[in-house]
Amino acid sequence: MLELIDLKAILIIAMIFIPLERLLPLYADQKMLRKHWLNDVIYLFFNGILIKLGFVALVGAMMFAIRLVIPEGMFAVVQAQPIWLQAIEVTLVADIGFYLAHRAFHSVPFLWKFHSVHHSIEEMDWLAAHRVHPVDQIATMTASMLPVYALGFSGSAIAIYAFMYQAQSLLIHSNTRIRFGPLKWVLASPQFHHWHHANERQAYDKNFAGQLPFIDALAGTLYMPERMPRVYGTDDPVPPLYHQQLAYPLKQIAGRVPAAEVSAQTGDSRP
């Protein structure tokens, strides 16, 4: 199990983002040990194990079937391209898949039960990026990466994409006031993704892309005013603890979680 937890990487990430959020905070009055921070530490250390195991099993089975129908020669053509070009293509292909899966998790009530766990974040920071239900993450990663693997992109190009995706995911959730200027229309920024998490009516179901905001612009789902959101989270009765959040979608689907009960647990008085 310890092999699935990269303690060195976690330490490096913490040493980068904790000082960054202190030096360039979006909300200076937000505490480093904000509400439910310990719950998200559990996600950071243990959620990745479930996701990695589930993703490898699912994609491995699907790739076995795909290899039977895709000619080997296509892989050679794709991998003959320069690495930098492959990396750009991987990012585009993966983010289109991410967009479609992400939008589905907002549009289909069954899927939203899982995705609402991520939207239960009420104070944004780098740590909050890890609060994702395993079912949500496994399905989204599969939709994003399966086309990449099926097309036969090189391991180096995929590694470049994976590094950039992870770094960007942490940054766009972070409590920082970093702006991208004109690049905000090309690369996802904290401004772009914070609006996705905003609990404000006009921002609902906007900004689905993971890295490329122009996909939302083309699809008509871009929302990025100059001001930053005032309120984050969801009105869904998502419970506060890790084990409760894992079980929450299944109990919701079975109709076994009274909203009043969860509101009492979380202290959330909103409807």
Side-chain angles (χ1 to χ4, degrees), residues 207-243:
N207 301 358
F208 294 113
Q211 292 180 282
L212 305 173
F214 65 79
I215 296 177
D216 280 282
L218 293 173
T221 53
L222 181 67
Y223 184 77
M224 195 162 35
E226 283 304 311
R227 73 174 180 87
M228 294 299 284
R230 299 185 180 92
V231 182
Y232 300 95
T234 176
D235 293 333
D236 288 47
V238 180
L241 301 179
Y242 178 71
H243 68 283

mmCIF file of all heavy atoms in Angstrom, residues 207-243:
data_model
loop_
_atom_site.group_PDB
_atom_site.id
_atom_site.type_symbol
_atom_site.label_atom_id
_atom_site.label_comp_id
_atom_site.label_asym_id
_atom_site.label_seq_id
_atom_site.Cartn_x
_atom_site.Cartn_y
_atom_site.Cartn_z
ATOM 1 N N ASN A 207 -17.856 26.115 -17.034
ATOM 2 C CA ASN A 207 -16.404 25.874 -16.917
ATOM 3 C C ASN A 207 -16.077 24.407 -16.611
ATOM 4 O O ASN A 207 -15.489 24.087 -15.584
ATOM 5 C CB ASN A 207 -15.800 26.795 -15.850
ATOM 6 C CG ASN A 207 -16.025 28.264 -16.161
ATOM 7 O OD1 ASN A 207 -16.599 28.618 -17.168
ATOM 8 N ND2 ASN A 207 -15.545 29.126 -15.290
ATOM 9 N N PHE A 208 -16.420 23.533 -17.524
ATOM 10 C CA PHE A 208 -16.211 22.094 -17.325
ATOM 11 C C PHE A 208 -14.812 21.616 -17.687
ATOM 12 O O PHE A 208 -14.383 20.560 -17.226
ATOM 13 C CB PHE A 208 -17.225 21.300 -18.154
ATOM 14 C CG PHE A 208 -18.646 21.466 -17.712
ATOM 15 C CD1 PHE A 208 -19.568 22.102 -18.529
ATOM 16 C CD2 PHE A 208 -19.078 20.976 -16.492
ATOM 17 C CE1 PHE A 208 -20.884 22.245 -18.136
ATOM 18 C CE2 PHE A 208 -20.397 21.117 -16.082
ATOM 19 C CZ PHE A 208 -21.299 21.751 -16.915
ATOM 20 N N ALA A 209 -14.109 22.324 -18.543
ATOM 21 C CA ALA A 209 -12.790 21.865 -18.990
ATOM 22 C C ALA A 209 -11.818 21.779 -17.822
ATOM 23 O O ALA A 209 -11.939 22.517 -16.839
ATOM 24 C CB ALA A 209 -12.230 22.799 -20.065
ATOM 25 N N GLY A 210 -10.857 20.884 -17.946
ATOM 26 C CA GLY A 210 -9.846 20.761 -16.902
ATOM 27 C C GLY A 210 -8.667 21.672 -17.133
ATOM 28 O O GLY A 210 -8.088 22.194 -16.185
ATOM 29 N N GLN A 211 -8.311 21.899 -18.407
ATOM 30 C CA GLN A 211 -7.115 22.668 -18.719
ATOM 31 C C GLN A 211 -7.303 23.710 -19.806
ATOM 32 O O GLN A 211 -6.533 24.664 -19.860
ATOM 33 C CB GLN A 211 -5.989 21.711 -19.145
ATOM 34 C CG GLN A 211 -5.482 20.828 -18.028
ATOM 35 C CD GLN A 211 -4.372 19.919 -18.494
ATOM 36 O OE1 GLN A 211 -4.623 18.911 -19.141
ATOM 37 N NE2 GLN A 211 -3.144 20.270 -18.186
ATOM 38 N N LEU A 212 -8.296 23.553 -20.662
ATOM 39 C CA LEU A 212 -8.411 24.399 -21.853
ATOM 40 C C LEU A 212 -9.766 25.108 -21.875
ATOM 41 O O LEU A 212 -10.755 24.567 -22.391
ATOM 42 C CB LEU A 212 -8.243 23.540 -23.115
ATOM 43 C CG LEU A 212 -6.959 22.700 -23.177
ATOM 44 C CD1 LEU A 212 -6.994 21.773 -24.387
ATOM 45 C CD2 LEU A 212 -5.721 23.596 -23.210
ATOM 46 N N PRO A 213 -9.841 26.333 -21.358
ATOM 47 C CA PRO A 213 -11.122 27.053 -21.292
ATOM 48 C C PRO A 213 -11.778 27.298 -22.637
ATOM 49 O O PRO A 213 -12.996 27.458 -22.707
ATOM 50 C CB PRO A 213 -10.734 28.389 -20.639
ATOM 51 C CG PRO A 213 -9.500 28.095 -19.876
ATOM 52 C CD PRO A 213 -8.760 27.071 -20.672
ATOM 53 N N PHE A 214 -10.995 27.292 -23.728
ATOM 54 C CA PHE A 214 -11.616 27.565 -25.019
ATOM 55 C C PHE A 214 -12.582 26.450 -25.422
ATOM 56 O O PHE A 214 -13.470 26.665 -26.260
ATOM 57 C CB PHE A 214 -10.564 27.797 -26.111
ATOM 58 C CG PHE A 214 -9.696 26.622 -26.443
ATOM 59 C CD1 PHE A 214 -10.151 25.599 -27.256
ATOM 60 C CD2 PHE A 214 -8.403 26.550 -25.942
ATOM 61 C CE1 PHE A 214 -9.335 24.518 -27.573
ATOM 62 C CE2 PHE A 214 -7.585 25.472 -26.256
ATOM 63 C CZ PHE A 214 -8.053 24.454 -27.071
ATOM 64 N N ILE A 215 -12.461 25.271 -24.819
ATOM 65 C CA ILE A 215 -13.440 24.208 -25.073
ATOM 66 C C ILE A 215 -14.808 24.646 -24.549
ATOM 67 O O ILE A 215 -15.830 24.467 -25.213
ATOM 68 C CB ILE A 215 -13.001 22.882 -24.419
ATOM 69 C CG1 ILE A 215 -11.703 22.381 -25.045
ATOM 70 C CG2 ILE A 215 -14.100 21.827 -24.543
ATOM 71 C CD1 ILE A 215 -11.147 21.120 -24.408
ATOM 72 N N ASP A 216 -14.824 25.258 -23.363
ATOM 73 C CA ASP A 216 -16.077 25.793 -22.823
ATOM 74 C C ASP A 216 -16.588 26.945 -23.676
ATOM 75 O O ASP A 216 -17.798 27.085 -23.877
ATOM 76 C CB ASP A 216 -15.864 26.274 -21.382
ATOM 77 C CG ASP A 216 -15.879 25.138 -20.383
ATOM 78 O OD1 ASP A 216 -16.972 24.669 -20.050
ATOM 79 O OD2 ASP A 216 -14.788 24.714 -19.961
ATOM 80 N N ALA A 217 -15.676 27.780 -24.166
ATOM 81 C CA ALA A 217 -16.089 28.893 -25.021
ATOM 82 C C ALA A 217 -16.776 28.376 -26.274
ATOM 83 O O ALA A 217 -17.830 28.888 -26.688
ATOM 84 C CB ALA A 217 -14.878 29.753 -25.381
ATOM 85 N N LEU A 218 -16.219 27.343 -26.892
ATOM 86 C CA LEU A 218 -16.800 26.762 -28.103
ATOM 87 C C LEU A 218 -18.136 26.080 -27.815
ATOM 88 O O LEU A 218 -19.040 26.076 -28.650
ATOM 89 C CB LEU A 218 -15.827 25.758 -28.725
ATOM 90 C CG LEU A 218 -14.529 26.349 -29.306
ATOM 91 C CD1 LEU A 218 -13.581 25.226 -29.727
ATOM 92 C CD2 LEU A 218 -14.828 27.261 -30.489
ATOM 93 N N ALA A 219 -18.262 25.498 -26.607
ATOM 94 C CA ALA A 219 -19.479 24.758 -26.245
ATOM 95 C C ALA A 219 -20.544 25.648 -25.609
ATOM 96 O O ALA A 219 -21.654 25.184 -25.328
ATOM 97 C CB ALA A 219 -19.128 23.619 -25.291
ATOM 98 N N GLY A 220 -20.210 26.914 -25.362
ATOM 99 C CA GLY A 220 -21.180 27.831 -24.776
ATOM 100 C C GLY A 220 -21.353 27.695 -23.279
ATOM 101 O O GLY A 220 -22.389 28.091 -22.734
ATOM 102 N N THR A 221 -20.339 27.138 -22.592
ATOM 103 C CA THR A 221 -20.448 26.941 -21.137
ATOM 104 C C THR A 221 -19.387 27.728 -20.365
ATOM 105 O O THR A 221 -19.115 27.417 -19.208
ATOM 106 C CB THR A 221 -20.329 25.447 -20.784
ATOM 107 O OG1 THR A 221 -19.131 24.904 -21.379
ATOM 108 C CG2 THR A 221 -21.534 24.672 -21.272
ATOM 109 N N LEU A 222 -18.809 28.748 -20.983
ATOM 110 C CA LEU A 222 -17.779 29.544 -20.309
ATOM 111 C C LEU A 222 -18.420 30.665 -19.501
ATOM 112 O O LEU A 222 -19.318 31.362 -19.991
ATOM 113 C CB LEU A 222 -16.816 30.132 -21.338
ATOM 114 C CG LEU A 222 -15.656 30.974 -20.772
ATOM 115 C CD1 LEU A 222 -14.702 30.099 -19.974
ATOM 116 C CD2 LEU A 222 -14.915 31.685 -21.896
ATOM 117 N N TYR A 223 -17.949 30.834 -18.250
ATOM 118 C CA TYR A 223 -18.407 31.939 -17.399
ATOM 119 C C TYR A 223 -17.229 32.394 -16.561
ATOM 120 O O TYR A 223 -16.761 31.672 -15.687
ATOM 121 C CB TYR A 223 -19.563 31.491 -16.495
ATOM 122 C CG TYR A 223 -20.130 32.614 -15.657
ATOM 123 C CD1 TYR A 223 -20.982 33.562 -16.217
ATOM 124 C CD2 TYR A 223 -19.812 32.737 -14.314
ATOM 125 C CE1 TYR A 223 -21.508 34.601 -15.460
ATOM 126 C CE2 TYR A 223 -20.327 33.757 -13.543
ATOM 127 C CZ TYR A 223 -21.172 34.697 -14.121
ATOM 128 O OH TYR A 223 -21.676 35.727 -13.361
ATOM 129 N N MET A 224 -16.736 33.604 -16.843
ATOM 130 C CA MET A 224 -15.537 34.068 -16.142
ATOM 131 C C MET A 224 -15.545 35.597 -15.993
ATOM 132 O O MET A 224 -14.774 36.301 -16.650
ATOM 133 C CB MET A 224 -14.283 33.591 -16.882
ATOM 134 C CG MET A 224 -13.029 33.690 -16.081
ATOM 135 S SD MET A 224 -11.624 32.691 -16.695
ATOM 136 C CE MET A 224 -11.774 32.746 -18.467
ATOM 137 N N PRO A 225 -16.413 36.120 -15.123
ATOM 138 C CA PRO A 225 -16.393 37.567 -14.871
ATOM 139 C C PRO A 225 -15.119 37.980 -14.138
ATOM 140 O O PRO A 225 -14.398 37.136 -13.608
ATOM 141 C CB PRO A 225 -17.625 37.775 -13.994
ATOM 142 C CG PRO A 225 -17.861 36.454 -13.349
ATOM 143 C CD PRO A 225 -17.424 35.421 -14.335
ATOM 144 N N GLU A 226 -14.857 39.251 -14.095
ATOM 145 C CA GLU A 226 -13.620 39.742 -13.482
ATOM 146 C C GLU A 226 -13.593 39.530 -11.972
ATOM 147 O O GLU A 226 -12.547 39.253 -11.401
ATOM 148 C CB GLU A 226 -13.408 41.221 -13.810
ATOM 149 C CG GLU A 226 -12.897 41.471 -15.208
ATOM 150 C CD GLU A 226 -11.600 40.731 -15.492
ATOM 151 O OE1 GLU A 226 -10.663 40.813 -14.674
ATOM 152 O OE2 GLU A 226 -11.525 40.030 -16.523
ATOM 153 N N ARG A 227 -14.735 39.687 -11.311
ATOM 154 C CA ARG A 227 -14.748 39.478 -9.864
ATOM 155 C C ARG A 227 -14.635 37.997 -9.554
ATOM 156 O O ARG A 227 -14.862 37.138 -10.408
ATOM 157 C CB ARG A 227 -16.011 40.064 -9.244
ATOM 158 C CG ARG A 227 -17.284 39.259 -9.525
ATOM 159 C CD ARG A 227 -18.471 39.824 -8.759
ATOM 160 N NE ARG A 227 -19.693 39.062 -9.012
ATOM 161 C CZ ARG A 227 -20.063 37.977 -8.328
ATOM 162 N NH1 ARG A 227 -19.293 37.527 -7.350
ATOM 163 N NH2 ARG A 227 -21.187 37.360 -8.605
ATOM 164 N N MET A 228 -14.286 37.670 -8.309
ATOM 165 C CA MET A 228 -14.204 36.282 -7.880
ATOM 166 C C MET A 228 -15.466 35.897 -7.102
ATOM 167 O O MET A 228 -16.179 36.770 -6.592
ATOM 168 C CB MET A 228 -12.960 36.068 -7.030
ATOM 169 C CG MET A 228 -11.657 36.254 -7.796
ATOM 170 S SD MET A 228 -11.469 35.097 -9.178
ATOM 171 C CE MET A 228 -11.027 33.589 -8.302
ATOM 172 N N PRO A 229 -15.767 34.604 -7.001
ATOM 173 C CA PRO A 229 -16.996 34.173 -6.312
ATOM 174 C C PRO A 229 -17.007 34.585 -4.841
ATOM 175 O O PRO A 229 -15.964 34.702 -4.204
ATOM 176 C CB PRO A 229 -16.950 32.644 -6.447
ATOM 177 C CG PRO A 229 -16.055 32.380 -7.603
ATOM 178 C CD PRO A 229 -15.036 33.467 -7.586
ATOM 179 N N ARG A 230 -18.207 34.753 -4.324
ATOM 180 C CA ARG A 230 -18.372 35.094 -2.904
ATOM 181 C C ARG A 230 -18.681 33.860 -2.053
ATOM 182 O O ARG A 230 -18.357 33.822 -0.873
ATOM 183 C CB ARG A 230 -19.509 36.117 -2.754
ATOM 184 C CG ARG A 230 -19.253 37.437 -3.490
ATOM 185 C CD ARG A 230 -20.365 38.444 -3.201
ATOM 186 N NE ARG A 230 -20.136 39.701 -3.891
ATOM 187 C CZ ARG A 230 -20.615 39.991 -5.103
ATOM 188 N NH1 ARG A 230 -21.349 39.094 -5.750
ATOM 189 N NH2 ARG A 230 -20.375 41.152 -5.665
ATOM 190 N N VAL A 231 -19.321 32.861 -2.678
ATOM 191 C CA VAL A 231 -19.734 31.670 -1.935
ATOM 192 C C VAL A 231 -19.418 30.426 -2.767
ATOM 193 O O VAL A 231 -19.663 30.398 -3.976
ATOM 194 C CB VAL A 231 -21.247 31.691 -1.616
ATOM 195 C CG1 VAL A 231 -21.630 30.462 -0.803
ATOM 196 C CG2 VAL A 231 -21.625 32.961 -0.883
ATOM 197 N N TYR A 232 -18.867 29.400 -2.094
ATOM 198 C CA TYR A 232 -18.564 28.132 -2.758
ATOM 199 C C TYR A 232 -19.397 27.017 -2.122
ATOM 200 O O TYR A 232 -19.964 27.172 -1.046
ATOM 201 C CB TYR A 232 -17.084 27.789 -2.595
ATOM 202 C CG TYR A 232 -16.137 28.811 -3.181
ATOM 203 C CD1 TYR A 232 -15.590 29.815 -2.394
ATOM 204 C CD2 TYR A 232 -15.762 28.764 -4.517
ATOM 205 C CE1 TYR A 232 -14.702 30.747 -2.923
ATOM 206 C CE2 TYR A 232 -14.882 29.681 -5.062
ATOM 207 C CZ TYR A 232 -14.355 30.682 -4.257
ATOM 208 O OH TYR A 232 -13.489 31.604 -4.789
ATOM 209 N N GLY A 233 -19.421 25.878 -2.796
ATOM 210 C CA GLY A 233 -20.093 24.712 -2.231
ATOM 211 C C GLY A 233 -21.355 24.351 -2.984
ATOM 212 O O GLY A 233 -21.630 24.842 -4.082
ATOM 213 N N THR A 234 -22.133 23.471 -2.380
ATOM 214 C CA THR A 234 -23.397 23.025 -2.961
ATOM 215 C C THR A 234 -24.445 22.945 -1.859
ATOM 216 O O THR A 234 -24.109 22.762 -0.684
ATOM 217 C CB THR A 234 -23.237 21.640 -3.621
ATOM 218 O OG1 THR A 234 -24.512 21.192 -4.100
ATOM 219 C CG2 THR A 234 -22.698 20.602 -2.648
ATOM 220 N N ASP A 235 -25.708 23.085 -2.227
ATOM 221 C CA ASP A 235 -26.783 22.960 -1.253
ATOM 222 C C ASP A 235 -27.176 21.508 -1.010
ATOM 223 O O ASP A 235 -28.029 21.226 -0.179
ATOM 224 C CB ASP A 235 -28.017 23.745 -1.724
ATOM 225 C CG ASP A 235 -27.762 25.250 -1.737
ATOM 226 O OD1 ASP A 235 -26.917 25.698 -0.942
ATOM 227 O OD2 ASP A 235 -28.391 25.963 -2.536
ATOM 228 N N ASP A 236 -26.552 20.569 -1.734
ATOM 229 C CA ASP A 236 -26.803 19.157 -1.482
ATOM 230 C C ASP A 236 -26.339 18.783 -0.076
ATOM 231 O O ASP A 236 -25.326 19.306 0.402
ATOM 232 C CB ASP A 236 -26.048 18.293 -2.500
ATOM 233 C CG ASP A 236 -26.667 18.383 -3.886
ATOM 234 O OD1 ASP A 236 -26.945 19.512 -4.313
ATOM 235 O OD2 ASP A 236 -26.856 17.343 -4.532
ATOM 236 N N PRO A 237 -27.038 17.879 0.598
ATOM 237 C CA PRO A 237 -26.707 17.536 1.989
ATOM 238 C C PRO A 237 -25.544 16.548 2.109
ATOM 239 O O PRO A 237 -25.689 15.442 2.625
ATOM 240 C CB PRO A 237 -28.007 16.926 2.512
ATOM 241 C CG PRO A 237 -28.595 16.273 1.294
ATOM 242 C CD PRO A 237 -28.270 17.186 0.145
ATOM 243 N N VAL A 238 -24.372 16.947 1.616
ATOM 244 C CA VAL A 238 -23.209 16.067 1.649
ATOM 245 C C VAL A 238 -22.640 16.035 3.066
ATOM 246 O O VAL A 238 -22.357 17.091 3.637
ATOM 247 C CB VAL A 238 -22.128 16.552 0.662
ATOM 248 C CG1 VAL A 238 -20.910 15.634 0.706
ATOM 249 C CG2 VAL A 238 -22.692 16.614 -0.759
ATOM 250 N N PRO A 239 -22.450 14.865 3.649
ATOM 251 C CA PRO A 239 -21.922 14.776 5.020
ATOM 252 C C PRO A 239 -20.451 15.186 5.069
ATOM 253 O O PRO A 239 -19.778 15.270 4.045
ATOM 254 C CB PRO A 239 -22.117 13.299 5.378
ATOM 255 C CG PRO A 239 -22.129 12.592 4.066
ATOM 256 C CD PRO A 239 -22.765 13.533 3.089
ATOM 257 N N PRO A 240 -19.900 15.427 6.282
ATOM 258 C CA PRO A 240 -18.580 16.044 6.393
ATOM 259 C C PRO A 240 -17.378 15.113 6.417
ATOM 260 O O PRO A 240 -16.253 15.577 6.223
ATOM 261 C CB PRO A 240 -18.680 16.788 7.730
ATOM 262 C CG PRO A 240 -19.610 15.944 8.548
ATOM 263 C CD PRO A 240 -20.607 15.393 7.577
ATOM 264 N N LEU A 241 -17.564 13.813 6.661
ATOM 265 C CA LEU A 241 -16.428 12.929 6.893
ATOM 266 C C LEU A 241 -16.177 12.001 5.713
ATOM 267 O O LEU A 241 -17.106 11.650 4.970
ATOM 268 C CB LEU A 241 -16.649 12.114 8.165
ATOM 269 C CG LEU A 241 -16.848 12.930 9.441
ATOM 270 C CD1 LEU A 241 -17.075 12.005 10.635
ATOM 271 C CD2 LEU A 241 -15.669 13.858 9.696
ATOM 272 N N TYR A 242 -14.926 11.565 5.563
ATOM 273 C CA TYR A 242 -14.487 10.778 4.409
ATOM 274 C C TYR A 242 -15.351 9.537 4.192
ATOM 275 O O TYR A 242 -15.885 9.321 3.091
ATOM 276 C CB TYR A 242 -13.026 10.384 4.588
ATOM 277 C CG TYR A 242 -12.471 9.521 3.481
ATOM 278 C CD1 TYR A 242 -12.235 10.039 2.211
ATOM 279 C CD2 TYR A 242 -12.172 8.171 3.699
ATOM 280 C CE1 TYR A 242 -11.721 9.246 1.192
ATOM 281 C CE2 TYR A 242 -11.653 7.380 2.692
ATOM 282 C CZ TYR A 242 -11.428 7.921 1.438
ATOM 283 O OH TYR A 242 -10.926 7.141 0.432
ATOM 284 N N HIS A 243 -15.498 8.705 5.213
ATOM 285 C CA HIS A 243 -16.254 7.469 5.037
ATOM 286 C C HIS A 243 -17.718 7.752 4.734
ATOM 287 O O HIS A 243 -18.371 7.009 3.988
ATOM 288 C CB HIS A 243 -16.117 6.570 6.279
ATOM 289 C CG HIS A 243 -16.782 7.106 7.508
ATOM 290 N ND1 HIS A 243 -16.240 8.121 8.272
ATOM 291 C CD2 HIS A 243 -17.964 6.774 8.101
ATOM 292 C CE1 HIS A 243 -17.044 8.385 9.278
ATOM 293 N NE2 HIS A 243 -18.093 7.584 9.199
#
